[in-house]
Amino acid sequence: MARAFLFVLDSFGIGGAADAERYGDAGSNTFGHIAEACAEGRADRLGLRKGPLFVPNMLSLGLGHAAKTATGFSFGDGAKAQLASAFHGAAQEISSGKDTPSGHWEIAALPVRFDWGYFPDTVPAFPAELTEAIIREGGVPGILGNCHAPGTEIIERFGEEHIRTGKPICYTSVDSVLQIAAHEIHFGLERLYEFCKVVRRLVDPLNIGRVIARPFIGETAASFERTHNRRDYSVPPPEPTLLDRLTARGSRVIAVGKIGDIFAHRGISEVRKAAGNMAMFDKALGAMNDAGDGDLVFANFVDFDTEYGHRRDVAGYAAALEAFDRRLPEALAQLRHGDLLILTADHGNDPTWHGTDHTRERIPVIGTGPGFSGDIGLRATFADIGETVAEHLGLARGRHGTSFYATIGGHA
């Protein structure tokens, strides 16, 4: 029996991207800077966490080695404490963006070699003809925002006016995205989803990667709170991904978290969602238990990115990593002969960095499974991850990426 489990710690980059300067991110390092802040006491928070970053289980899978490969960063004795049945390395992104779809598609063996469309950091950010079409075809009295902004900040700024006028809050960022915030009750959750579908169609000619529904609740700026009913409306991948190749041959792909949305629900057999990383971990464990021969469980743990990276919350990010690490033995206990577990990320989001956006970084590629071990070095593309999973599950070689399966002892 061969099964595979891909766990993406959303935004958990490890620095060192060769092209980081092009993105204004030279020197960014999500893991390294969190670890340094913890060691210096700058990530202590009463009632949350204190002291050096404590992630022994990820270190046992080679996280320390991966960090050293990516940047030369040494995490104490972390490069020494590794399980015999673990492998480690890092990967460089070749996709043109540092966004969620680009990272995940490349992990699934399809790099994004085209340029996404983006909205300028101006006010207004959207072309007048697009705004007019959104209002007309979306059946709304107007829109609020129309600018680059962090999600929580723009809801605080325009939320009360949105409730009063019925105008949805539309905004963007440096990513290829148009986000729409609306009140779950006053505007309506299903109405928000339908509105996003209209906007998705309207931005297709602009090659915008995602339209994201951002529902919230509360009655005043002081009480507004985003809910976990977010929904992403993504462009479908232009070629078959690892997921398509698996489902085409009859295997199941169980998507945990926002994976289904990222791939426009193509190549997905089943979606399992929950609110928060720990509830998502429960879903991932259930999916691992249910997976059969030839199946893939592909899970995304989004809180690292949305709750802590974008909000530049170092203590929160550190605590979330430690909470994930404490649960990791539960996943390891489910592994049996023929299983392959890989932990990785889709980009960086250094909470010590300027601004509120993603950071261009290399990612860790660490994992385990009975009979697997070794140093996979620095991979030239995230697509090597997908091709390794493909080989493990018995698929023919794809067009992008190079499997490291033999390096970690596959088919030995």
Side-chain angles (χ1 to χ4, degrees), residues 346-375:
D346 54 340
H347 49 70
N349 201 345
D350 187 341
T352 72
W353 207 242
H354 55 79
T356 60
D357 296 310
H358 296 157
T359 43
R360 182 77 164 188
E361 300 180 40
R362 289 170 176 161
I363 58 169
V365 184
I366 60 176
T368 187
F372 296 119
S373 64
D375 182 352

Side-chain angles (χ1 to χ4, degrees), residues 63-363:
L63 178 59
H65 286 287
K68 202 166 188 64
T69 295
T71 64
F73 172 69
S74 293
F75 183 63
D77 293 330
K80 300 177 183 177
Q82 184 168 340
L83 295 173
S85 59
F87 55 88
H88 59 84
Q92 169 77 35
E93 187 169 14
I94 60 172
S95 293
S96 58
K98 54 176 181 177
D99 53 89
T100 294
S102 296
H104 281 80
W105 291 6
E106 189 168 332
I107 290 169
L110 180 60
V112 176
R113 303 314 299 249
F114 58 84
D115 289 326
W116 294 108
Y118 300 92
F119 295 113
D121 191 359
T122 58
V123 180
F126 309 132
E129 57 271 23
L130 173 61
T131 300
E132 292 166 5
I134 288 173
I135 294 169
R136 181 180 64 251
E137 300 190 34
V140 294
I143 65 171
L144 302 172
N146 200 345
C147 61
H148 281 233
T152 52
E153 177 187 299
I154 201 164
I155 290 171
E156 289 177 5
R157 198 190 328 165
F158 291 107
E160 293 180 10
E161 185 178 353
H162 159 70
I163 292 173
R164 189 171 63 253
T165 64
K167 298 177 181 179
I169 305 166
C170 300
Y171 61 105
T172 186
S173 71
V174 296
D175 288 339
S176 181
V177 65
L178 198 160
Q179 305 201 62
I180 304 169
H183 199 281
E184 283 200 359
I185 299 170
H186 295 290
F187 191 85
L189 185 59
E190 291 304 320
R191 184 185 175 199
L192 172 59
Y193 292 157
E194 292 303 315
F195 182 72
C196 286
K197 291 176 184 177
V198 172
V199 176
R200 171 72 271 172
R201 172 172 52 80
L202 294 174
V203 299
D204 278 347
L206 302 177
N207 205 28
I208 300 301
R210 288 180 294 166
V211 172
I212 304 179
R214 290 287 198 176
F216 66 96
I217 56 175
E219 297 301 321
T220 65
S223 64
F224 290 142
E225 180 182 350
R226 293 198 299 193
T227 75
H228 289 280
N229 289 321
R230 163 183 171 160
R231 190 170 292 180
D232 294 32
Y233 298 85
S234 301
V235 172
E239 296 178 31
T241 67
L242 168 67
L243 284 57
D244 296 305
R245 290 153 63 191
L246 284 169
T247 53
R249 75 105 183 256
S251 294
R252 278 199 307 165
V253 173
I254 304 175
V256 179
K258 66 176 185 176
I259 295 295
D261 290 346
I262 293 167
F263 289 87
H265 293 272
R266 220 183 65 188
I268 305 292
S269 309
E270 182 182 342
V271 174
R272 302 185 184 187
K273 288 190 174 185
N277 274 357
M278 294 302 95
M280 212 79 74
F281 207 102
D282 291 335
K283 294 289 184 182
L285 292 175
M288 291 179 73
N289 186 61
D290 295 341
D293 190 20
D295 292 347
L296 169 66
V297 175
F298 198 173
N300 173 281
F301 297 89
V302 72
D303 282 5
F304 298 113
D305 187 54
T306 57
E307 298 299 316
Y308 310 113
H310 284 300
R311 299 184 184 188
R312 296 302 189 250
D313 181 354
V314 182
Y317 207 132
L321 287 170
E322 292 168 335
F324 180 92
D325 193 81
R326 286 193 294 271
R327 300 287 310 269
L328 193 52
E330 298 175 57
L332 301 182
Q334 293 222 31
L335 297 178
R336 50 187 188 245
H337 183 73
D339 286 350
L340 174 66
L341 169 67
I342 297 177
L343 272 59
T344 189
D346 54 340
H347 49 70
N349 201 345
D350 187 341
T352 72
W353 207 242
H354 55 79
T356 60
D357 296 310
H358 296 157
T359 43
R360 182 77 164 188
E361 300 180 40
R362 289 170 176 161
I363 58 169

Side-chain angles (χ1 to χ4, degrees), residues 108-111 113 238-240 245 381 383 387 396-402:
L110 180 60
R113 303 314 299 249
E239 296 178 31
R245 290 153 63 191
T381 167
E387 283 307 311
R397 182 175 177 176
R399 296 182 57 228
H400 311 282
T402 302

